[in-house]
Amino acid sequence: MLLPRSPMLPLSSMLPHWKKAATSSSLAPGLSAAGLALYLLRSGFRVTLIDAWGAGNSRSGSGDETRVIRSTYGANELYFNLNIRALELWKAHQKKWDKPLFHPSGVLWFCYEEKVDLIDASLPFMEKHGLAYQYFSRKEAQIRFPQVFVDDLDHLVLDPNGGYLRAIRRWPSRVRCGPGAWSISN
């Protein structure tokens, strides 16, 4: 079951008008392609993900230990909205599979200048979704993060909504591997 969508175009309107029996394949799929594959699978499509190294291998498309999840994409509202939707889905799957997937650790930005376009341009989208950054002056940062050298920074910005996904721990419970191909179960 999918959660209600964030204010953005429904995924179905962005996909080609395929018949339900169509087959979709992705070479070297990463987390995003696998998420799309799961959506297509639940929508009645046949899906095959092909990766020479297998799911969760450090050389595979979905490889390595973690993926950073952040809500800072500058003026790109589409990416911002996709991130919001992805977080909703990861949290729903985490609950459904009773397995920790998303770890809300926050994302700390080190700002060398007073103005940082990437962060400043994200502010309208943060406000639109009821989210906010936390700002730390250099002096506040020295107290809050004593292990970080901040003398050359103007300030720090914490995105408290960010965190990370544990890619390797996520895949083995949901993926069946075969020679050169793998599939995702609901």
Side-chain angles (χ1 to χ4, degrees):
M1 180 177 99
L2 296 177
L3 297 174
R5 296 197 177 281
S6 295
M8 61 182 273
L9 287 174
L11 184 57
S12 58
S13 70
M14 293 185 261
L15 295 175
H17 295 286
W18 295 334
K19 294 181 180 177
K20 291 285 181 180
T23 299
S24 172
S25 297
S26 176
L27 296 174
L31 287 173
S32 297
L36 177 59
L38 184 58
Y39 176 85
L40 290 171
L41 178 71
R42 289 180 175 166
S43 299
F45 295 93
R46 291 189 312 261
V47 179
T48 301
L49 301 175
I50 302 166
D51 194 318
W53 300 103
N57 184 297
S58 63
R59 293 183 178 180
S60 71
S62 64
D64 212 1
E65 285 285 330
T66 61
R67 292 289 180 262
V68 173
I69 302 296
R70 61 190 169 96
S71 56
T72 307
Y73 289 95
N76 193 328
E77 186 172 15
L78 175 63
Y79 272 33
F80 188 94
N81 288 336
L82 287 171
N83 175 71
I84 295 294
R85 180 67 178 141
L87 276 175
E88 291 171 355
L89 292 173
W90 282 117
K91 289 175 182 177
H93 288 99
Q94 180 170 272
K95 192 174 188 178
K96 178 180 180 179
W97 297 331
D98 192 29
K99 186 172 186 99
L101 304 172
F102 174 69
H103 301 271
S105 60
V107 175
L108 190 61
W109 293 89
F110 291 43
C111 304
Y112 294 91
E113 307 291 329
E114 181 181 350
K115 296 296 247 171
V116 180
D117 291 340
L118 185 71
I119 293 171
D120 296 342
S122 295
L123 291 174
F125 314 133
M126 294 287 282
E127 291 172 13
K128 185 176 180 179
H129 290 277
L131 306 172
Y133 293 124
Q134 295 174 13
Y135 291 83
F136 299 94
S137 68
R138 185 182 313 142
K139 188 172 185 96
E140 292 169 327
Q142 286 171 330
I143 295 166
R144 175 84 187 264
F145 309 104
Q147 68 276 32
V148 176
F149 179 78
V150 298
D151 292 354
D152 58 344
L153 299 176
D154 184 76
H155 63 286
L156 278 79
V157 176
L158 176 65
D159 174 357
N161 308 293
Y164 64 95
L165 295 169
R166 294 294 305 264
I168 288 178
R169 290 199 180 170
R170 187 253 178 264
W171 291 125
S173 66
R174 291 286 145 216
V175 173
R176 292 186 304 276
C177 297
W182 44 290
S183 62
I184 299 177
S185 65
N186 281 326

